[in-house]
Amino acid sequence: MTYLELLAERGIDGAHPGGFALTRALLRREMIDANTTVLDVGCGTGQTSSYIAKKFKCRVVAVDNNPKMLEKAQQRFQKDSLKIGLVRADAMRLPFWPNSFDLVLAESVTIFTNISRTLREYSRVLKPGGILIDIEMTAEMPLTAEELKDVKSVYGIKQVPTQDEWTDMLKAAGFSSIQILKGRINPLELLFGNRLGKEFSAHFNLMKQYYRKLGYRVYRCK
Ligand SMILES: C[S@@+](CC[C@H](N)C(=O)[O-])C[C@H]1O[C@@H](n2cnc3c(N)ncnc32)[C@H](O)[C@@H]1O
């Protein structure tokens, strides 16, 4: 099973660096009200979408391309009696008109796709002045081919851009006012071991091995 299939199989919530605590902290800083329309791309089990719909009473659309994740998200929305639009779609080909959303959120999603293509999709579906918040793994320094091979073997991703590379791709996709929050993988989490169980040991071992090289960033842009 791939890393993403494992996450889906186990229904792991908050499967992004910084976790759900970071999500809540970031959303507190945004001007979201009942008139805001939000797109949660790669919504996973729907934890963030559900939180936004409950807290801000606004329109939320959640997208994922993994049927198991969608099933888990659907169960959550039904249990919470939430009217969240749930769509099976590829982040690289979003089935929405241009200028549809005020806020696009992607929490550890873009890196699993063709990054430039997906960023252009976020830009296309955002309204003018709309905001993208994207939390993504970021290399603290360029990885060697050998290192990239290790990362690829665990996550199936083709590249781990540095902060400058992410910034260039965001600009090329039409984003400006790029604000960046730097995050490092929490060493305590690694020290206290693999809370997700042994199926995730490849992920934890990689995080330990590349602790100094792999970090993450929150990219907030217009
Ligand atoms: C690491 S998980 C993060 C899930 C969720 N955002 C969270 O933070 O808990 C990545 C998610 O992106 C979804 N995903 C990966 N590639 C995708 C694509 N091309 N289109 C849509 N969703 C995708 C996966 O199915 C998975 O749910």
Side-chain angles (χ1 to χ4, degrees), residues 106-115 118-119 122 134 136 166:
E107 301 182 296
S108 190
V109 178
T110 317
I111 195 148
F112 295 100
T113 68
N114 176 320
I115 297 174
T118 300
L119 292 178
Y122 299 161
D134 195 355
E136 297 294 340
W166 274 108

Side-chain angles (χ1 to χ4, degrees), residues 3-4 7-8 12-17 23 40-48 63-66 69 89-92 94 106-110 112-114 118:
Y3 174 72
L4 288 179
L7 287 178
I12 305 292
D13 295 328
H16 55 270
T23 303
D40 181 10
V41 184
C43 64
T45 67
Q47 187 182 41
T48 295
V63 161
D64 207 286
N65 69 350
N66 183 306
M69 283 300 200
D90 188 335
M92 294 180 280
L94 291 170
E107 301 182 296
S108 190
V109 178
T110 317
F112 295 100
T113 68
N114 176 320
T118 300

Side-chain angles (χ1 to χ4, degrees), residues 174-190:
F175 288 101
S176 59
S177 313
I178 302 170
Q179 296 172 311
I180 299 172
L181 191 76
K182 181 174 176 171
R184 293 300 296 267
I185 305 300
N186 182 353
L188 288 179
E189 201 177 317
L190 298 179

Side-chain angles (χ1 to χ4, degrees), residues 66-139:
N66 183 306
K68 277 218 173 87
M69 283 300 200
L70 290 167
E71 201 182 302
K72 299 219 155 95
Q74 179 69 33
Q75 283 162 4
R76 182 194 296 273
F77 301 158
Q78 260 167 12
K79 186 171 139 277
D80 293 349
S81 306
L82 292 169
K83 282 196 184 126
I84 292 175
L86 190 58
V87 181
R88 181 176 181 184
D90 188 335
M92 294 180 280
R93 274 182 297 273
L94 291 170
F96 307 111
W97 296 110
N99 310 335
S100 296
F101 299 94
D102 299 294
L103 175 65
V104 170
L105 261 179
E107 301 182 296
S108 190
V109 178
T110 317
I111 195 148
F112 295 100
T113 68
N114 176 320
I115 297 174
S116 296
R117 196 160 152 190
T118 300
L119 292 178
R120 283 200 299 275
E121 278 297 83
Y122 299 161
S123 171
R124 183 183 65 78
V125 300
L126 270 171
K127 293 179 188 172
I131 306 263
L132 168 69
I133 298 179
D134 195 355
I135 306 172
E136 297 294 340
M137 186 191 287
T138 298

